[in-house]
Amino acid sequence: MDLIYTNAKRIDQGILTAYAFDLSFGADENDFEMVLGANQPTLEIGAAVYIEGTEYGGIVDGVKVTTNGETITYNGRTWHGILNSKVIEPDTGENYLVVSGNANDILSMMIDRLGLSGLFVASDELSGVNIPGYQFHRYCKGYDGILDMLADNGAKLKIEWVNRSVVLSAVPVADYTQSPVDGDIAMLTVEQQGKKVNHLVCLGAGNLAEREVIHLYLDQFGRVGNTQYYTGLDEYCEVYENTNTEDLAKDGKAKFKELQSGDKAEIDLNETAGISFDIGDIVGATENKSGVSVAAAVTQKIVKIQNGVVSTEYKTGR
């Protein structure tokens, strides 16, 4: 697993051999820090570092050097962070950007729209994921918006460096809950929330009796609808207020989805485990001693690569 570096024009210069490369991407940070030994090459601001065929890489934005120090520290944005340093805007005169079609075709359009076609490309294969019609939130960040669009359609974003380009593709979310991770193969921290909100009162624009009010309910199968299933002591109700929305039902359902993410897991794996997940995948985790088990979507991935040896921490929930 070679860590390759380029110059600021993204022309390959060589392979780094003594390094600690820490990356984070997903719901929160989308950046990296790389510490090089004193005998390693000096990197330019704007240089790329990458591992071929993986999502591990990014662009150098800064450097920190200490006099008489034995290391140099570089920091920058991962490919995910570069996407998130762009903003998805509606067209002039339009309230929202609305897209539909094959997901990879939409990704190609978004790359051009975000001004990243010099480095990013979309897979030219049919994704198998069709977007019937998706309305982006106004002025959302690029990576966040793309993840939300794909998640709403049961898909995830794959990112790989291939042949000097960052290749984006949409693929269906994988569900690993039938083969949960346990304490025999990983260090685990699991948090189970037994009772979750199942009735959401959504309040929109207007005053008093004229105010827009929508009731959303969760049924026994985890589906959101307009028919109440849980009542009495089993009912768990919350209020969601949004006076600026033009689609209270849609935004209310998004809020409901967020409120369901109470179960959380932190999973530490090294490469000998032979398991890896992507942002958006559904994973199960069981702590053997207590028997506590959760299932949730991966929202953050923290990767540490020390001279070619990889360890990964996964976080779920919001």
Side-chain angles (χ1 to χ4, degrees), residues 60-79:
V60 174
D61 291 327
V63 59
K64 181 173 68 175
V65 184
T66 302
T67 302
N68 298 325
E70 297 183 355
T71 62
I72 299 178
T73 301
Y74 296 91
N75 60 75
R77 291 163 292 164
T78 62
W79 312 130

Side-chain angles (χ1 to χ4, degrees), residues 1 9 20-21 32 38 41 73 125 128 131 136 158 169 181 189 211 220 224 226 231 244-245 247 286 292 301 306:
M1 181 178 284
K9 295 181 179 179
F21 192 28
F32 71 83
T73 301
E125 298 180 0
I131 310 296
F136 285 96
K158 289 283 287 185
S169 58
V181 176
T189 301
R211 189 167 193 182
Q220 71 271 40
V224 176
N226 303 112
T231 60
N244 297 316
T245 181
D247 192 337
T286 301
V292 173
K301 189 171 177 179
Q306 181 87 33

Side-chain angles (χ1 to χ4, degrees), residues 10 82-83 85-88 107-121:
R10 293 192 295 278
I82 293 172
L83 286 170
S85 64
K86 299 289 188 173
V87 172
I88 298 175
L107 290 177
S108 180
M109 180 271 290
M110 294 303 298
I111 289 169
D112 289 339
R113 192 179 185 95
L114 297 174
L116 294 173
S117 56
L119 177 60
F120 288 71
V121 298

Side-chain angles (χ1 to χ4, degrees), residues 159-179:
I159 300 180
E160 296 178 296
W161 178 282
V162 180
N163 296 328
R164 299 185 64 185
S165 294
V166 182
V167 181
L168 306 184
S169 58
V171 296
V173 164
D175 187 338
Y176 296 98
T177 54
Q178 297 305 308
S179 302

Side-chain angles (χ1 to χ4, degrees), residues 24-221:
S24 178
F25 39 87
D28 295 318
E29 299 126 357
N30 288 282
D31 51 24
F32 71 83
E33 180 178 273
M34 181 173 62
V35 179
L36 297 184
N39 62 338
Q40 293 297 292
T42 300
L43 275 60
E44 301 173 358
I45 300 296
V49 288
Y50 67 88
I51 296 175
E52 183 75 22
T54 76
E55 63 184 331
Y56 307 148
I59 297 293
V60 174
D61 291 327
V63 59
K64 181 173 68 175
V65 184
T66 302
T67 302
N68 298 325
E70 297 183 355
T71 62
I72 299 178
T73 301
Y74 296 91
N75 60 75
R77 291 163 292 164
T78 62
W79 312 130
H80 322 70
I82 293 172
L83 286 170
N84 235 21
S85 64
K86 299 289 188 173
V87 172
I88 298 175
E89 303 181 42
D91 292 329
T92 302
E94 298 293 331
N95 293 326
Y96 297 95
L97 174 64
V98 180
V99 297
S100 62
N102 180 270
N104 283 349
D105 291 340
I106 293 173
L107 290 177
S108 180
M109 180 271 290
M110 294 303 298
I111 289 169
D112 289 339
R113 192 179 185 95
L114 297 174
L116 294 173
S117 56
L119 177 60
F120 288 71
V121 298
S123 171
D124 57 8
E125 298 180 0
L126 286 176
S127 66
V129 177
N130 185 64
I131 310 296
Y134 180 80
Q135 177 180 288
F136 285 96
H137 293 288
R138 286 172 57 83
Y139 299 98
C140 63
K141 292 184 176 182
Y143 180 60
D144 294 342
I146 289 171
L147 285 190
D148 288 344
M149 175 191 71
L150 294 176
D152 272 10
N153 291 276
K156 63 184 179 183
L157 181 66
K158 289 283 287 185
I159 300 180
E160 296 178 296
W161 178 282
V162 180
N163 296 328
R164 299 185 64 185
S165 294
V166 182
V167 181
L168 306 184
S169 58
V171 296
V173 164
D175 187 338
Y176 296 98
T177 54
Q178 297 305 308
S179 302
V181 176
D182 62 27
D184 292 336
I185 61 174
M187 288 290 294
L188 294 177
T189 301
V190 295
E191 180 179 342
Q192 186 181 67
Q193 183 64 45
K195 187 61 112 174
K196 300 173 185 171
V197 173
N198 52 49
H199 177 188
L200 189 64
V201 182
C202 305
L203 305 179
N207 294 312
L208 301 176
E210 301 300 320
R211 189 167 193 182
E212 182 182 13
V213 179
I214 296 175
H215 291 262
L216 297 175
Y217 303 98
L218 197 72
D219 69 12
Q220 71 271 40
F221 302 110

